[in-house]
Amino acid sequence: EAVSIIIDTMIAEQRHEDNVYPRGDLFDCQNCKGPYRYPGLPRGGKGRPTKYTGMTWTGFRPSDDECLYGYLVPANMFAVVALGYAAELAQTLWAEYGGYGLASKAIKLAAEIDEGIRKYGIVEHETFGKMYAYEVDGLGNSLLMDDANVPSLLSAPYLGYRYDNDAYANTKRFIFSKSNPTYQSGTNPITGQIDGYGSQHMRSAIWQNIWPMSMAMRGLTSDTIEEKIDIIEQLQKATAGTSWMHESFDVSNPKKFTRPWFCWADALFAELVLSVSDQCPGPKEKYTVRWWKDPELPEGGMYAGDQSISTG
């Protein structure tokens, strides 16, 4: 039932502009009796205008920031993959409860979203050629950027999405260039030369921010052991002696960061280390695995940290 609700909601949001919303016995929540609205979005909470593309509408990014255009391409990539999983589960675990019908619905929706990505989500850039846009509206408008939070355009291979090879390669070149408004590069005494990208979400706190999450994802989507190890070492240095991944840090001063520890980034860092398999750590590598020990203090104690922003 939960998966059915999710799929029906996604189908309805394919036609967000038409005020379509899912109906049925399962939709009995307080705000289920009308089209989606959220205070703060333009047009009385509806968001900016969109046209049907096959993709499903999104009001907010993984960073919690408001979408500029309603079709968030990396989120739709993730949806295609997740719907494939849903179809598999429906046929293997829920067959006696109408699972085959649910699987057919999931497969059809995934195909429509994927077609929408390929038709509307790939744009032509004057420097980088055909590449994925971060957001589109189906009306000809597109936002060219990437955000560190996952799902991101960079994370398409990690998510398991079957991307266009040329478009993804060009997108990756774009992401790690000054054409991407969230990209930063610089030098500081702690990490030396470093580059990466962050999110608009933390610009009010740290204007030139890099997110360790995006660095870890760069390593996870790399196919060379050398690049993976280089990124692991950069990430260690970027902790500025704290031994924890942060949400973001200043490219010029990693001691200025947000969140003293950030489990999402910690988990991706651990996954990156594991991704180098038995080739790592090699005899020349400097990093070591740090073991977690639960504190004896209640409520997180000294490990809970202060969520205020460090100013270095």
Side-chain angles (χ1 to χ4, degrees):
E1 289 182 348
V3 173
S4 182
I5 288 172
I6 292 168
I7 291 175
D8 285 347
T9 302
M10 293 171 71
I11 290 172
E13 289 301 337
Q14 288 180 293
R15 302 184 184 278
H16 180 80
E17 192 64 26
D18 299 332
N19 297 322
V20 175
Y21 61 95
R23 296 172 171 84
D25 294 339
L26 296 178
F27 294 91
D28 58 357
C29 65
Q30 180 179 353
N31 297 314
C32 288
K33 307 303 180 184
Y36 179 86
R37 297 291 183 269
Y38 194 89
L41 292 177
R43 298 195 299 162
K46 184 175 182 177
R48 293 175 177 81
T50 56
K51 187 185 84 170
Y52 176 84
T53 64
M55 288 183 279
T56 190
W57 181 89
T58 307
F60 294 87
R61 301 167 185 165
S63 64
D64 294 332
D65 295 304
E66 174 188 325
C67 288
L68 180 62
Y69 303 122
Y71 299 120
L72 179 59
V73 174
N76 277 275
M77 291 175 171
F78 199 8
V80 171
V81 177
L83 286 165
Y85 296 151
E88 183 179 353
L89 288 170
Q91 293 175 86
T92 56
L93 297 181
W94 309 321
E96 61 183 298
Y97 305 107
Y100 287 106
L102 182 61
S104 296
K105 186 185 291 187
I107 292 169
K108 180 176 182 292
L109 176 57
E112 291 171 354
I113 293 175
D114 196 31
E115 177 64 22
I117 293 172
R118 297 180 188 282
K119 185 175 181 179
Y120 293 94
I122 297 176
V123 300
E124 190 71 26
H125 191 283
E126 59 182 7
T127 301
F128 298 95
K130 72 172 185 177
M131 59 171 282
Y132 288 104
Y134 188 69
E135 293 171 1
V136 297
D137 61 6
L139 297 168
N141 296 305
S142 59
L143 176 62
L144 302 185
M145 59 165 276
D146 201 17
D147 188 282
N149 291 269
V150 180
S152 61
L153 293 175
L154 179 64
S155 70
Y158 172 83
L159 299 174
Y161 178 69
R162 295 183 179 179
Y163 52 86
D164 179 285
N165 289 331
D166 291 338
Y168 179 76
N170 293 338
T171 303
K172 197 168 184 178
R173 290 193 300 116
F174 165 87
I175 289 171
F176 294 105
S177 76
K178 292 183 179 179
S179 295
N180 176 14
T182 60
Y183 173 79
Q184 305 292 341
S185 65
T187 303
N188 65 75
I190 296 175
T191 65
Q193 176 65 33
I194 192 168
D195 76 317
Y197 70 105
S199 173
Q200 296 176 351
H201 185 63
M202 276 295 115
R203 279 193 168 174
S204 60
I206 300 174
W207 181 254
Q208 293 183 302
N209 66 76
I210 291 178
W211 285 46
M213 187 185 305
S214 73
M215 295 176 64
M217 188 54 64
R218 187 178 191 175
L220 285 166
T221 56
S222 172
D223 57 4
T224 69
I225 192 74
E226 293 80 11
E227 184 177 22
K228 288 177 180 288
I229 290 175
D230 181 59
I231 291 173
I232 288 170
E233 291 186 342
Q234 282 190 329
L235 281 166
Q236 269 208 309
K237 292 176 182 176
T239 68
T242 66
S243 299
W244 295 102
M245 297 296 115
H246 303 133
E247 178 186 42
S248 68
F249 63 87
D250 192 318
V251 67
S252 300
N253 178 17
K255 289 184 177 181
K256 183 179 181 182
F257 55 80
T258 56
R259 295 185 187 263
W261 52 269
F262 193 34
C263 290
W264 193 357
D266 283 329
L268 284 173
F269 174 75
E271 192 171 356
L272 173 58
V273 173
L274 291 172
S275 77
V276 295
S277 186
D278 57 355
Q279 300 181 58
C280 175
K284 297 181 180 179
E285 309 312 327
K286 300 176 182 177
Y287 64 90
T288 57
V289 175
R290 296 183 180 274
W291 295 94
W292 168 262
K293 180 180 178 181
D294 286 326
E296 297 178 358
L297 300 174
E299 298 180 359
M302 61 180 291
Y303 293 94
D306 180 0
Q307 293 298 308
S308 62
I309 295 167
S310 169
T311 58

